[in-house]
């Protein structure tokens, strides 16, 4: 639909990036109102698209220079809010949501926006692939938090995967008390590397909390309402924080300004495709498809920043990917036995 509409649009008027983005969102809006698709593999295709979009966002954040991570988050929340308003009006969901679910919507917005800020900060402070790998560990923490707060079953395998995940994070962080003072492959100074590691780890835990809150809400709240709270609360929080820090800066380059807008567009597109993937496909295959995010991060890091991964980073990535894949396969197997 996107290709056909874009081609027809191009034959009548000069096409700009904004025009194509407008057509793209018309397609998402139109498709969201269609009946559920039954095409085999469509859910996995949506998961792949969301993974590619999220990987490109991390690359763009890393490419923008001189703009604080919180300001980037504020700009993304602002444009995401603008794109969400017509979707809420179209679906007639209102802007507040069900009265008994508002506390969860506020929690989702607050925790989710903080996880985004922490991820962007981590990407700016350490190698792109390392930050992505640590952030990718959130499914493991989701299982543990779901056991604590939602009383879901926790197995010995969940504990094993958690140990593997923490081991992977340690291989990437390489603390001096374990690895000594000689560290190779660190981007910038080691203090920033540790700050990025802590931010990425905290972001992963925050993302896991967000998934637990979304599970608690269930399907009674429309997804775009959740995105709305995420954008509004994130924008308010970012504006207050950046104002206190005095970090407001307009990008010097016009290209960076377009990249900031593109981050917002890809953000809502990635979230939309991920949600549609989970509506069509089982969660385990979608989680496995998202492991491509780690591969793309290493590829982007090598191509765009000319940084080859170290053996420590590859070892840490292997531990985290094995853990998250193990969690997904375990859930898949458990659900298959129940059915």
């Amino acid at each position: 639909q996107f290709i056909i509409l874009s081609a027809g649009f191009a034959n009548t008027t000069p096409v700009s990036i904004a025009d194509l983005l407008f057509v793209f969102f018309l397609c998402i809006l139109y498709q969201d109102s269609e009946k559920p698709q039954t095409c085999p593999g469509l859910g996995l295709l949506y998961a792949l698209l969301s993974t590619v979009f999220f990987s490109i966002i991390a690359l763009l954040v890393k490419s923008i220079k001189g703009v604080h991570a919180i300001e980037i988050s504020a700009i993304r929340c602002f444009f995401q809010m603008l794109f969400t308003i017509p979707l809420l009006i179209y679906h007639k969901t209102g802007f507040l949501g069900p009265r008994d679910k508002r506390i969860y919507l506020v929690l989702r917005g607050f925790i989710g926006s903080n996880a985004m800020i922490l991820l962007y900060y981590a990407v700016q402070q350490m190698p792109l692939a390392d930050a992505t790998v640590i952030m990718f560990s959130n499914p493991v923490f989701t299982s543990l938090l779901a056991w604590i707060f939602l009383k879901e079953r926790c197995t010995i395998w969940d504990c094993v995967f958690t140990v593997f995940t923490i081991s992977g994070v340690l291989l990437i962080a390489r603390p001096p008390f374990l690895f000594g003072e000689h560290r190779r492959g660190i981007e910038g100074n080691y203090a920033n590397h540790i700050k990025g590691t802590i931010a990425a780890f905290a972001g992963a835990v925050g993302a896991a909390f967000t998934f637990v809150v979304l599970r608690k809400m269930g399907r009674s709240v429309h997804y775009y309402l959740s995105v709305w709270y995420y954008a509004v609360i994130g924008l308010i929080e970012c504006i207050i924080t950046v104002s206190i820090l005095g970090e407001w800066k307009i990008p010097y380059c016009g290209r960076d300004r377009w990249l900031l807008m593109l981050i917002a567009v890809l953000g809502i597109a990635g979230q939309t495709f991920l949600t549609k993937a989970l509506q069509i496909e089982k969660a385990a295959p979608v989680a496995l498809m998202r492991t491509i995010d780690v591969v793309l991060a290493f590829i982007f890091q090598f191509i765009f920043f000319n940084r080859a991964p170290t053996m420590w980073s590859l070892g840490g990535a292997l531990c985290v990917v094995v853990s998250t894949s193990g969690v997904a396969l375990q859930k898949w197997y458990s659900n298959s036995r129940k059915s």
Side-chain angles (χ1 to χ4, degrees):
Q1 294 167 351
F2 173 58
I3 295 173
I4 294 172
L5 282 175
S6 300
F9 199 42
N11 288 333
T12 58
T13 58
V15 178
S16 65
I17 295 177
D19 295 330
L20 291 179
L21 292 177
F22 174 72
V23 174
F24 177 70
F25 273 98
L26 281 179
C27 292
I28 293 180
L29 183 63
Y30 170 76
Q31 194 172 29
D32 199 54
S33 63
E34 290 280 285
K35 294 181 179 180
Q37 300 290 329
T38 58
C39 177
L42 186 61
L44 295 180
L45 175 60
Y46 285 152
L48 176 62
L49 288 173
S50 71
T51 298
V52 173
F53 287 158
F54 288 137
S55 298
I56 295 175
I57 289 174
L59 172 64
L60 296 179
V61 171
K62 186 73 173 177
S63 302
I64 297 174
K65 303 297 182 183
V67 180
H68 198 281
I70 302 178
E71 184 177 353
I72 296 177
S73 303
I75 294 172
R76 170 180 169 175
C77 288
F78 174 73
F79 284 103
Q80 190 164 307
M81 185 176 66
L82 292 183
F83 282 119
T84 307
I85 290 175
L87 295 174
L88 291 177
I89 295 174
Y90 177 82
H91 290 282
K92 300 178 182 179
T93 61
F95 292 90
L96 296 179
R99 188 179 297 274
D100 59 331
K101 301 293 183 181
R102 290 175 189 173
I103 182 62
Y104 297 116
L105 286 167
V106 172
L107 280 175
R108 183 267 185 271
F110 179 76
I111 299 174
S113 58
N114 277 282
M116 172 187 63
I117 294 170
L118 290 168
L119 172 61
Y120 289 177
Y121 181 78
V123 167
Q124 289 183 338
Q125 298 298 322
M126 65 190 304
L128 174 63
D130 290 351
T132 302
V133 167
I134 297 175
M135 192 66 186
F136 185 75
S137 64
N138 68 77
V140 178
F141 301 117
T142 301
S143 297
L144 291 178
L145 293 173
W147 170 61
I148 296 173
F149 294 103
L150 303 181
K151 307 305 179 184
E152 293 185 3
R153 184 168 175 264
C154 182
T155 67
I156 186 63
W157 284 110
D158 291 316
C159 300
V160 171
F161 294 141
T162 302
V163 172
F164 261 85
T165 299
I166 296 175
S167 300
V169 173
L170 289 175
L171 288 175
I172 293 173
R174 281 169 279 170
F177 65 89
L178 289 178
F179 294 87
E181 297 295 331
H182 184 65
R183 296 175 291 269
R184 299 178 58 186
I186 299 295
E187 182 178 283
N189 62 66
Y190 185 68
N192 289 339
H193 186 82
I194 287 296
K195 290 178 183 177
T197 301
I198 295 174
F201 188 81
V205 176
F209 266 111
T210 301
F211 291 137
V212 171
V213 173
L214 289 173
R215 283 191 195 179
K216 183 68 176 177
M217 286 192 299
R219 298 185 179 181
S220 59
V221 178
H222 196 281
Y223 170 71
Y224 286 125
L225 196 59
S226 175
V227 175
W228 167 254
Y229 271 83
Y230 173 94
V232 172
I233 294 177
L235 178 62
I236 295 173
E237 180 184 359
C238 290
I239 289 176
I240 294 174
T241 306
V242 174
S243 299
I244 293 174
L245 296 176
E247 290 286 346
W248 282 113
K249 295 179 182 177
I250 298 177
Y252 300 109
C253 177
R255 179 188 70 95
D256 286 350
R257 298 172 189 175
W258 278 104
L259 293 182
L260 288 171
M261 293 182 62
L262 188 59
I263 287 173
V265 173
L266 292 178
I268 191 172
Q271 290 177 342
T272 300
F273 279 120
L274 179 59
T275 301
K276 292 178 74 65
L278 291 172
Q279 290 174 345
I280 298 174
E281 189 61 72
K282 293 182 179 179
V286 173
L288 291 175
M289 181 65 70
R290 292 216 60 203
T291 58
I292 298 175
D293 196 0
V294 175
V295 178
L296 290 175
F298 279 107
I299 294 174
F300 289 164
Q301 178 177 289
F302 181 75
I303 293 176
F304 294 99
F305 303 107
N306 196 27
R307 289 189 61 86
T310 64
M311 294 303 297
W312 297 113
S313 294
L314 290 175
L318 180 61
C319 289
V320 172
V321 170
V322 167
S323 301
T324 53
S325 300
V327 169
L329 290 172
Q330 180 200 9
K331 299 295 182 184
W332 196 358
Y333 176 72
S334 177
N335 292 334
S336 298
R337 289 188 61 185
K338 289 180 182 179
S339 61

